[in-house]
Amino acid sequence: MLRHREMALLPLLILLCFFSSLAAKGGRFARLGINYGTLGDDLPSAARSVALLRSLGAGAVKIYDANPAILRALAGTRLRVSIMVPNEIIPSLGTNASLADAWVAAYLTPFYPAVRVRYLLVGNEILSYTSLASSTWPFLVPAMVNIHRSLIARSIRDVKVSTTFAMDALGISFPPSAGAFRSDIAEPVIRPLLRFLHKTRSYYFVDAYPYLAWASNPSSIRLDYALFTANSSFNYFDPGSKLTYTNLLDQMLDAVAAAMGRLGFGDVRMAVAETGWPNAGDLDQIGANVHNAATYNRNLVQRMAARPAAGTPARPGALMPVFIFSLYNENQKPGPGTERHWGLLYPHGKMAYDVDLSGRRPLASYPSLPPPENNEPYKGRIWCVFGGGRRAASNATAVGAALAYACGQGNGTCDEIRPGGPCHKPNTIVSHASYAFNSYWQLFRRAGATCFFDGLALQTKTDPSYGSCKYRSLAN
């Protein structure tokens, strides 16, 4: 989700067309939106969640499927709504216009216009998965075209159709003025996509996470530059465009704008489908804490709520829809710990930190934040052990499946817990799971393995070794 560039100056005529297009239906977002995901087993009801959205001052919400309960809860509110179309049905929608029309009939028209749907986003970051290159990529734009035609046939003209891409759609992203799409997608996917967006006056939706860019290279990117708090002495001057950047998000967005301009579509409007900062993470994940998350999102709100709009250096004054990720910490999301800690709210509805998405609250009025404790890389040893609690421990099926998976990866992962091994006793499924989880993670973490196991595992700084049973560990 990280890369950067944009073109030098747009001709005056294109600029005038660009800014006039902002007044098109579905084009203005007075307040930031929120991504409302549901990958948690302890989240509030849809009705309660919508009430919480409104209490945060949100002006819009993006949901990851056409969930009827959520859509019913949104009916009659003033929230603008974005609905995602699942990745797996893109090929069907792209090859069969009737199926696309049936999807619109089943998932949009029963709720529209009581629900203020403004965007249908066909697929989520599909260009990040090369496994979908043959099965899905060729059908993306045809699916969008078919859905758009269905909308027009129903005289629905205030719902824009688009898709979302991560920053890895760019092959070159730095400096921003050098931004270019990957060679494998530029012509077969991106050019026809941009042609469609231009024709329908829709938006290019990008998932832009300064946290991911900074965390992958903290020695080269300043944290305050990623958090919108750097002073002018740390601005970045782009030698190609002669533009000056004060923050990392603007760099990322202008890299995308440059890439679009390089294909001849510099007038296509841009929206931020996802951005944010994690409020916690694994021990070895730098900078994921409440202090940084609150700082980033509060500053983002102030920047995006400013009128006249700040835009970006390459697109000054440009208004764009922006959706913060996410409403909740979602405990069932796989991957590293940050994946489960992007929420503005904890699952029970308590705020992770104060933030007003309306942009009316001055930054100075917020209470002080806890100091960050992990803005430097963790240097000690870490282990991965069973941490599912009593409820999970009583689910022998789930623990047994995770244990079997860890032990089934070879490389002697579970030799020590076999009968006669130094870690066989105590002969309990929880004890064996702890050893297996750690052994698997230590062996394969460099290849991308995570300490999760469907929520059954957690990291610890405390060595779980006992007696002659020694748990492996690698220093970070």
Side-chain angles (χ1 to χ4, degrees):
M1 299 184 175
L2 13 132
R3 321 304 181 210
H4 327 56
R5 171 177 233 245
E6 154 59 301
M7 57 189 170
L9 286 172
L10 292 171
L12 180 59
L13 181 59
I14 293 179
L15 271 175
L16 291 173
C17 292
F18 172 72
F19 288 119
S20 66
S21 71
L22 291 172
K25 284 187 177 181
R28 291 189 181 273
F29 270 67
R31 300 179 182 178
L32 271 70
I34 303 180
N35 286 274
Y36 173 12
T38 57
L39 293 179
D41 62 3
D42 51 1
L43 302 181
S45 68
R48 171 65 175 152
S49 295
V50 169
L52 289 168
L53 277 166
R54 301 176 74 180
S55 73
L56 289 167
V61 60
K62 179 158 75 73
I63 57 178
Y64 288 85
D65 57 17
N67 184 306
I70 295 176
L71 290 171
R72 283 193 293 269
L74 287 166
T77 71
R78 299 294 295 170
L79 292 169
R80 292 181 168 113
V81 178
S82 174
I83 302 173
M84 301 203 82
V85 179
N87 290 356
E88 56 269 21
I89 67 172
I90 290 174
S92 299
L93 301 186
T95 55
N96 191 321
S98 295
L99 288 179
D101 186 65
W103 190 94
V104 171
Y107 296 106
L108 176 65
T109 55
F111 306 100
Y112 174 91
V115 178
R116 299 184 70 201
V117 179
R118 290 296 176 264
Y119 299 99
L120 292 180
L121 301 178
V122 183
N124 186 24
E125 297 188 348
I126 69 167
L127 297 184
S128 298
Y129 305 98
T130 55
S131 60
L132 301 178
S134 298
S135 65
T136 306
W137 293 2
F139 305 104
L140 174 61
V141 176
M144 294 168 64
V145 168
N146 285 340
I147 288 179
H148 177 71
R149 286 174 177 167
S150 176
L151 295 175
I152 297 303
R154 297 167 186 275
S155 298
I156 299 175
R157 300 182 183 277
D158 58 355
V159 176
K160 300 295 185 184
V161 179
S162 188
T163 187
T164 70
F165 294 143
M167 287 297 294
D168 61 8
L170 300 189
I172 301 172
S173 58
F174 184 82
S177 59
F181 290 106
R182 298 190 333 243
S183 59
D184 61 324
I185 60 173
E187 292 299 330
V189 182
I190 299 295
R191 186 181 292 279
L193 171 83
L194 293 176
R195 187 178 297 116
F196 170 83
L197 297 178
H198 172 79
K199 182 179 179 180
T200 61
R201 302 179 76 186
S202 188
Y203 293 80
Y204 181 104
F205 277 80
V206 60
D207 294 346
Y209 286 97
Y211 169 76
L212 298 177
W214 168 78
S216 68
N217 197 7
S219 61
S220 298
I221 302 175
R222 290 183 58 89
L223 176 59
D224 53 5
Y225 188 72
L227 294 173
F228 304 101
T229 58
N231 63 48
S232 60
S233 62
F234 297 109
N235 290 349
Y236 171 71
F237 178 76
D238 185 327
S241 64
K242 304 298 189 287
L243 296 173
T244 298
Y245 289 85
T246 63
N247 65 84
L248 185 54
L249 180 63
D250 280 354
Q251 275 192 221
M252 299 170 77
L253 297 180
D254 278 355
V256 175
M260 293 194 294
R262 186 157 276 102
L263 292 180
F265 292 94
D267 61 338
V268 170
R269 298 182 290 176
M270 197 182 311
V272 180
E274 293 181 9
T275 191
W277 199 283
N279 57 56
D282 291 334
L283 294 173
D284 54 352
Q285 292 190 284
I286 186 173
N289 55 64
V290 166
H291 185 281
N292 292 345
T295 301
Y296 179 84
N297 284 324
R298 289 173 182 175
N299 284 322
L300 175 71
V301 170
Q302 291 295 313
R303 184 173 183 79
M304 295 303 173
R307 293 295 179 270
T312 66
R315 291 186 168 188
L319 287 164
M320 67 182 77
V322 176
F323 294 84
I324 290 177
F325 189 85
S326 59
L327 180 60
Y328 294 117
N329 283 353
E330 299 171 64
N331 69 340
Q332 292 183 321
K333 293 193 69 178
T338 49
E339 286 297 307
R340 294 174 288 284
H341 293 92
W342 292 89
L344 301 182
L345 304 176
Y346 297 114
H348 48 69
K350 180 181 177 181
M351 297 182 76
Y353 46 85
D354 285 353
V355 64
D356 173 18
L357 299 186
S358 73
R360 298 191 185 101
R361 184 171 181 177
L363 290 176
S365 71
Y366 286 108
S368 60
L369 293 165
E373 297 181 350
N374 60 350
N375 283 350
E376 298 294 332
Y378 179 71
K379 301 296 186 182
R381 294 184 178 273
I382 304 173
W383 292 265
C384 176
V385 298
F386 177 85
R390 291 181 180 178
R391 190 174 70 173
S394 66
N395 187 346
T397 301
V399 180
L403 174 59
Y405 174 82
C407 292
Q409 305 309 305
N411 287 5
T413 305
C414 293
D415 286 353
E416 305 298 294
I417 58 174
R418 301 192 189 284
C423 301
H424 178 67
K425 293 184 177 180
N427 185 16
T428 67
I429 193 170
V430 168
S431 177
H432 286 185
S434 273
Y435 183 89
F437 292 172
N438 181 72
S439 182
Y440 166 84
W441 183 63
Q442 301 290 354
L443 285 170
F444 299 109
R445 60 188 290 203
R446 305 299 185 199
T450 61
C451 180
F452 180 57
F453 292 95
D454 290 329
L456 296 174
L458 55 76
Q459 290 184 358
T460 179
K461 299 177 184 178
T462 303
D463 186 353
S465 301
Y466 57 93
S468 60
C469 177
K470 305 300 180 185
Y471 277 56
R472 310 179 195 202
S473 71
L474 297 174
N476 285 302

